[in-house]
Amino acid sequence: MLKAILSTFLLVFIAELGDKTQLATMLLSAKSNSVTPIFIGASLALICSSFIGVFAGTYLTRYVPPHYLQNVAGVLFLLMGALILSGKI
């Protein structure tokens, strides 16, 4: 169990470094006189999105084999990257 917690922490921590969410949070805290509400709001948002991801993944794997989910996630990731690079998002 500890191994799963640590590997998930490291994966999410590294994935979130320097992404749009972190940059938006930095901008909000730079504009704010009080950083505590920004920290609480950002933390709650990450908890909620993680909650959705965990339970959606658990539900989906009951009906769809994990390797199909990985392939679809990879294709969607590439598609979103291409759309961002082309300026359409």
Side-chain angles (χ1 to χ4, degrees):
M1 183 170 154
L2 184 60
K3 183 178 176 182
I5 291 170
L6 289 175
S7 63
T8 302
F9 171 81
L10 288 173
L11 179 69
V12 172
F13 183 78
I14 291 169
E16 292 296 325
L17 284 177
D19 75 343
K20 292 184 297 182
T21 305
Q22 186 181 33
L23 296 175
T25 305
M26 287 169 48
L27 178 63
L28 285 169
S29 65
K31 289 182 174 183
S32 175
N33 291 333
S34 177
V35 297
T36 302
I38 306 300
F39 175 76
I40 292 170
S43 298
L44 289 173
L46 185 57
I47 289 169
C48 289
S49 64
S50 296
F51 180 83
I52 291 169
V54 167
F55 286 100
T58 301
Y59 177 77
L60 285 174
T61 55
R62 291 181 187 170
Y63 305 103
V64 181
H67 68 277
Y68 287 131
L69 293 175
Q70 288 175 336
N71 291 338
V72 169
V75 168
L76 290 174
F77 184 78
L78 292 172
L79 178 63
M80 288 178 8
L83 290 172
I84 289 170
L85 287 174
S86 68
K88 296 187 180 192
I89 293 181

